[in-house]
Amino acid sequence: MPLSNDFRGDFRPRIRRSYAGGVQGMLSELAGQFDRMPPAEASALLSEHYGVTAVELERLDTERDDSFRVTTADGYFVLKVAHPADDPLVIDLQTTAMRRAADHGLPTQRLVPTLLGAETAVVDGRIARVFDWLNGDLLAETTPDQAQLFAMGAELGRLSRALAELEHPASRRVLAWDLQRTAGLRQYTTDPIMTEVIDRFERVVAPALRRLPQQVIHNDFHPGNLLVNSVSARFVVGILDFGDVVHTARICDLGVTLAYLIPEQGDVWGAAEHVIGG
């Protein structure tokens, strides 16, 4: 069933804002506020638990945790300190999915163990992890050609295959960014266009998604989470941020990816068809 005639390219920014606002409303209910970790505390954490002396700490923009780019005399690392309310099982799900992807040859970050050989450290009830640093350019800062978009799609396909058999007790969690839960955003929007999108989702999309293959997916395969190298045959040289991993319809991974490639104006399928082909 098609959307109304008002649903044109001009409404794409409006739909994005409304959808993002709805998700942020749900996230605020699920997460709540927390005190950000000061850089001095992060530096002390690194020294005590990892034996790492930070020359410089740069805070990275994240939604739900404290993340820092750590500069040392020997190179770079990433420190992630989880939200105080994060379930340790969910964090283990993220780490497990990342490790599974790496074991299948995907370019993901590797965990750096603590001085005691553990995967995580706990500070004031918050779980901290340190990852190695991956080099590359953010896809968001490049303009990929058709072959590179195809390569991007191929990498997403490899990632889906790598996670296809993953089973984890936290994978079927309630996640605001799970597209199968789009109907739950209704209470957070009064925009008539967004309401029409949700109505159509409930009538047409949700029943179809329930019939499609289900598995654990990355769920955030977009230009801000992909590192690329234009001279590499695979193009994608880093897959970041497994924070939205969830068990849902496999096609949602492709849906999330394509949503970020839709331009504000012009041809909806210009870039998408090459990613789909890959």
Side-chain angles (χ1 to χ4, degrees):
M1 181 178 298
L3 292 169
S4 70
N5 291 333
D6 288 336
F7 190 74
R8 306 286 187 183
D10 291 344
F11 287 92
R12 293 174 207 168
R14 180 172 160 189
I15 290 170
R16 283 197 178 102
R17 288 194 298 271
S18 185
Y19 184 86
V23 173
Q24 290 300 336
M26 187 185 293
L27 284 173
S28 66
E29 286 192 2
L30 293 173
Q33 299 299 312
F34 70 101
D35 294 328
R36 294 286 180 175
M37 176 174 284
E41 289 186 19
S43 182
L45 183 163
L46 288 165
S47 177
E48 178 181 354
H49 293 278
Y50 291 89
V52 170
T53 300
V55 176
E56 181 181 2
L57 286 177
E58 176 188 351
R59 187 180 294 275
L60 303 175
D61 184 22
T62 54
E63 293 172 357
R64 191 178 168 82
D65 61 21
D66 285 306
S67 293
F68 299 89
R69 181 192 190 201
V70 182
T71 303
T72 74
D74 300 318
Y76 303 102
F77 299 95
V78 174
L79 168 65
K80 292 181 74 69
V81 185
H83 188 287
D86 278 355
D87 186 341
L89 260 182
V90 172
I91 294 175
D92 184 71
L93 165 65
Q94 299 165 8
T95 302
T96 300
M98 185 182 301
R99 186 186 302 110
R100 175 70 64 91
D103 290 344
H104 282 74
L106 278 298
T108 67
Q109 293 171 292
R110 303 278 183 163
L111 272 176
V112 176
T114 68
L115 291 173
L116 298 178
E119 290 188 341
T120 63
V122 179
V123 178
D124 295 330
R126 300 178 64 184
I127 297 175
R129 293 171 293 172
V130 172
F131 301 95
D132 62 0
W133 180 265
L134 296 180
N135 291 314
D137 300 315
L138 275 178
L139 178 62
E141 298 172 356
T142 69
T143 303
D145 59 26
Q146 294 180 4
Q148 291 167 340
L149 289 167
F150 186 95
M152 175 182 167
E155 203 69 13
L156 178 58
R158 295 185 186 101
L159 182 57
S160 291
R161 285 188 173 184
L163 300 180
E165 303 301 323
L166 177 60
E167 296 290 340
H168 193 281
S171 65
R172 288 169 172 80
R173 60 189 173 132
V174 175
L175 181 69
W177 296 109
D178 181 358
L179 292 184
Q180 289 197 135
R181 299 185 183 275
T182 295
L185 301 179
R186 185 184 297 279
Q187 62 183 304
Y188 300 104
T189 183
T190 57
D191 188 312
I193 296 295
M194 191 62 199
T195 298
E196 186 177 356
V197 170
I198 294 174
D199 287 343
R200 181 179 186 273
F201 176 88
E202 290 187 303
R203 289 194 310 269
V204 180
V205 181
L209 286 181
R210 286 193 290 269
R211 295 193 299 267
L212 294 176
Q214 308 275 318
Q215 67 165 76
V216 171
I217 65 170
H218 179 271
N219 202 38
D220 210 13
F221 196 88
H222 67 74
N225 281 337
L226 298 177
L227 298 174
V228 298
N229 183 335
S230 60
V231 300
S232 169
R234 283 176 66 164
F235 184 54
V236 176
V237 294
I239 302 172
L240 308 176
D241 194 354
F242 281 67
D244 288 341
V245 166
V246 68
H247 190 284
T248 188
R250 182 171 63 211
I251 196 66
C252 291
D253 229 355
L254 181 59
V256 169
T257 301
L258 298 184
Y260 282 92
L261 298 179
I262 297 174
E264 298 294 312
Q265 299 289 334
D267 182 12
V268 170
W269 296 104
E273 63 180 345
H274 303 295
V275 177
I276 293 170

